[in-house]
């Protein structure tokens, strides 16, 4: 009975992905990367997410107002044209934000407390469809800043971190991600010394 409870408690903490679904694999790895980076003292910067939520809420309100406006079609033609135009413009702004700012980012952070840098991190990842090569990139949130470090990359096969059952070997993955964070910090140090 106790052995069953032990295996149940260890199975609850196990992160498992469906190996036939690359989105499932990427999600498990991205979620673990976020946990690792935040455990190193970086606090998540959610300002861009909040802007996207606000923009999405405005888009929904515009659509609802257009749908439930008091007058019927021929009378509300100009109003509907304005709502449709506003909807298209706001959606285009949302896509522009996704394309220019977010890209493949999974996490934005503030700078570490007590550090000399004035920029946080942008952690992004790629796992192309039909490929096992996972690429993790750590870059500065403000690459034009004088305190920005050089971008660092890690590309490895997901088979290095996942068992044949799809269970993430967290120890190996944490080690690789932490070494990438340290590599970024070392690339940042010479600028501090100048």
């Amino acid at each position: 009975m106790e052995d069953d409870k032990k295996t149940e408690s260890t199975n609850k903490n196990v992160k498992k992905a469906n190996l036939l679904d690359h989105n499932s694999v990427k999600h498990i790895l991205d979620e673990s990367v976020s946990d690792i980076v935040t455990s190193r003292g970086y606090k998540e910067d959610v300002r861009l997410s909040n802007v996207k939520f606000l923009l999405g809420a405005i888009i929904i309100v515009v659509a609802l107002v257009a749908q439930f406006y008091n007058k019927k079609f021929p009378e509300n033609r100009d109003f509907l044209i304005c709502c449709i135009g506003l909807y298209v413009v706001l959606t285009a702004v949302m896509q522009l934000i996704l394309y220019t700012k977010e890209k493949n980012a999974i996490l934005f952070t503030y700078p570490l407390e007590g550090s000399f840098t004035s920029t946080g991190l942008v952690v992004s990842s790629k796992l192309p469809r039909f490929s096992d090569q996972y690429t993790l990139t750590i870059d500065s949130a403000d690459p034009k800043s004088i305190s920005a470090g050089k971008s660092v990359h890690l590309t490895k096969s997901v088979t290095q971190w996942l068992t044949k059952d799809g269970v993430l070997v967290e120890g190996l993955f944490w080690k690789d991600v932490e070494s990438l964070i340290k590599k970024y910090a070392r690339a940042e140090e010479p600028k501090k010394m100048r």
Side-chain angles (χ1 to χ4, degrees), residues 5-139:
K5 287 182 182 179
K6 286 180 185 177
T7 56
E8 279 183 29
S9 66
T10 57
N11 287 342
K12 289 179 184 176
N13 297 332
V14 171
K15 293 183 179 179
K16 190 172 182 179
N18 178 0
L19 294 178
L20 300 176
D21 179 14
H22 91 285
N23 288 324
S24 173
V25 172
K26 186 176 184 317
H27 177 74
I28 288 289
L29 296 175
D30 290 350
E31 188 178 277
S32 295
V33 167
S34 294
D35 292 344
I36 296 165
V37 172
T38 55
S39 75
R40 301 269 307 176
Y42 289 95
K43 292 186 179 168
E44 185 174 1
D45 181 359
V46 294
R47 290 178 291 187
L48 186 63
S49 295
N50 290 343
V51 168
K52 287 179 3 189
F53 283 133
L54 179 65
L55 211 56
I58 293 170
I59 290 169
I60 290 169
V61 167
V62 167
L64 288 173
V65 167
Q67 177 70 30
F68 297 111
Y69 190 65
N70 279 344
K71 297 180 181 178
K72 295 294 178 187
F73 174 64
E75 298 168 10
N76 69 353
R77 182 176 172 260
D78 294 336
F79 180 75
L80 282 177
I81 290 172
C82 289
C83 285
I84 291 169
L86 187 59
Y87 182 87
V88 168
V89 168
L90 291 175
T91 304
V93 169
M94 175 82 88
Q95 289 302 315
L96 186 67
I97 289 171
L98 291 172
Y99 182 73
T100 59
K101 295 287 185 190
E102 199 172 70
K103 298 180 185 174
N104 294 321
I106 54 173
L107 179 69
F108 292 90
T109 70
Y110 290 108
L112 275 174
E113 288 185 25
S115 71
F116 294 108
T117 63
S118 60
T119 66
L121 302 178
V122 176
V123 182
S124 55
S125 69
K126 289 182 187 175
L127 180 62
R129 196 170 171 94
F130 306 117
S131 174
D132 66 336
Q133 297 298 309
Y134 181 79
T135 302
L136 184 64
T137 304
I138 299 178
D139 202 359

Side-chain angles (χ1 to χ4, degrees), residues 107 155 182:
L107 179 69
T155 301
K182 288 177 185 174

